Amino acid sequence: MLAVGCLELEQCERLAHAADVVCAMSLDGLKGTPRAFDPRIHAIRPHPGQRASAANLERLLAGSEIRESHITCRRVQDAYSLRCAPQVHGAVRDTLAEARRVFEIELNAVTDNPLVIGDEIISGGNFHGQPLAFALDYLAIALTALAGISERRIDRLVNPALNEDLPPFLASHAGLESGFMMVQVTAAALVAENRVLATPASPGSITTSGNKEDFVSMGVTSALKLQQVVKNARTVLAIEALAAARALDLLAPLKSGAAVEKARAGLRSVCPAWEGDQVFSDRIRAVDEWIGAWGARRMCDRRLKPPAAR
């Protein structure tokens, strides 16, 4: 349970970094405004993750030609999936920080039973997995929300009623091609699956061992569910990245901020632009792997601490 949790936490932290980049691509593709990322807004509701995500989004969009091209438009504010990204992505970051705190304590803890302490042999309950089970369920809920807001941005990119004059479903020849229509359906299906998997296992104890083990954590189930939630969330982000990159392509010759353009170039190195209806599965897989590798390179140096010598 702990081993799975540590591995999935690393994946979650990578996705939290990647989500900001993909969101920045989508925001510029939809001709949104970075005004909502002004640090003064976040200083007066100073959740650490929110402030970090807002600063990241503002940095990513700095110098965007696309922003300058519509700066005088009359639209006052963007949809929640764009404007509230720091609040949602930031809450995910703070959830990850809390899970990291729990896992670091556990990695440095003694969970044997019975325990030999000095000259005494003491039977206790340090083996009980409740702290881990709660953290694992919490991570699944957070990643489900991250995938959910990503899917809403995908819908805005492809929906002709919402996508700021981009071609319907980002198709080259709307009506003759499906474009990204079924790709958004795929993202929606993955989010729906995650909502089921995010149902907590930790409250659901089942009594065993002649009623001696009468309240257990169910944390292994929480860990196994989390693995699929993380996999699904990364696929949804890969789909958003593909759609956002396509939107930015369609806005050429205008360019986004330098950081976003660097990310788009990296994506295009593994998934070149194409025309006409194509099979998406290989492209989604390639971008999924790129997001994993990209996140790994940009992870902070902080890592889970190894167990202390004893």
Side-chain angles (χ1 to χ4, degrees):
M1 175 169 45
L2 178 59
V4 171
C6 290
L7 289 172
E8 296 309 314
L9 178 61
E10 294 284 354
Q11 289 290 323
C12 292
E13 289 177 329
R14 295 175 188 182
L15 290 185
H17 287 275
D20 286 345
V21 177
V22 176
C23 175
M25 294 171 66
S26 293
L27 184 138
D28 243 6
L30 289 165
K31 298 181 181 178
T33 174
R35 185 73 170 166
F37 311 143
D38 187 315
R40 293 173 295 179
I41 295 173
H42 307 281
I44 54 178
R45 194 195 189 195
H47 293 290
Q50 178 179 326
R51 295 182 76 173
S53 185
N56 203 22
L57 285 161
E58 188 174 52
R59 176 186 62 81
L60 286 161
L61 291 160
S64 169
E65 295 174 359
I66 298 170
R67 163 64 172 157
E68 291 301 316
S69 74
H70 62 86
I71 202 165
T72 59
C73 73
R74 300 181 64 183
R75 183 150 44 100
V76 176
Q77 54 190 7
D78 295 316
Y80 284 10
S81 58
L82 300 170
R83 181 176 18 131
C84 301
Q87 288 78 7
V88 178
H89 294 188
V92 172
R93 287 172 180 264
D94 289 342
T95 301
L96 300 179
E98 173 59 15
R100 176 176 281 277
R101 183 191 67 81
V102 171
F103 293 164
E104 285 181 350
I105 290 173
E106 192 73 8
L107 281 167
N108 287 282
V110 177
T111 57
D112 303 319
N113 186 63
L115 292 168
V116 179
I117 302 177
D119 295 330
E120 294 185 72
I121 298 177
I122 306 175
S123 179
N126 272 0
F127 54 83
H128 202 285
Q130 203 71 62
L132 296 175
F134 285 162
L136 292 162
D137 279 340
Y138 197 8
L139 286 174
I141 291 169
L143 265 290
T144 295
L146 189 69
I149 196 171
S150 174
E151 185 278 327
R152 289 294 78 202
R153 292 191 295 260
I154 296 167
D155 182 66
R156 298 196 80 82
L157 286 162
V158 305
N159 189 331
L162 302 172
N163 69 359
E164 302 299 325
D165 298 322
L166 290 167
F169 304 103
L170 302 176
S172 299
H173 301 93
L176 299 177
E177 300 170 8
S178 295
F180 279 71
M181 180 187 294
M182 294 310 298
V183 184
Q184 184 269 326
V185 171
T186 300
L190 292 171
V191 169
E193 181 180 356
N194 274 1
R195 288 172 182 163
V196 176
L197 293 170
T199 302
S202 53
S205 174
I206 298 292
T207 299
T208 59
S209 300
N211 216 36
K212 182 66 69 177
E213 298 176 1
D214 60 346
F215 192 83
V216 295
S217 73
M218 306 301 292
V220 171
T221 302
S222 301
L224 294 175
K225 291 194 301 96
L226 176 61
Q227 286 183 309
Q228 189 62 43
V229 168
V230 172
K231 180 180 178 181
N232 290 351
R234 198 165 99 172
T235 302
V236 173
L237 283 172
I239 291 171
E240 183 186 356
L242 277 169
R246 169 67 172 164
L248 292 174
D249 290 346
L250 292 166
L251 294 177
L254 296 175
K255 293 184 178 181
S256 185
V260 167
E261 288 298 332
K262 183 177 180 181
R264 180 160 64 125
L267 183 151
R268 286 290 178 235
S269 71
V270 300
C271 183
W274 70 94
E275 293 294 329
D277 279 342
Q278 301 286 331
V279 175
F280 272 88
S281 55
D282 288 342
R283 291 176 171 83
I284 294 170
R285 190 175 300 112
V287 176
D288 183 302
E289 293 172 356
W290 172 76
I291 286 175
W294 181 91
R297 289 194 300 272
R298 284 156 180 78
M299 279 284 290
C300 55
D301 291 333
R302 190 175 170 214
R303 289 291 184 268
L304 291 171
K305 301 171 186 175
R310 50 178 197 266

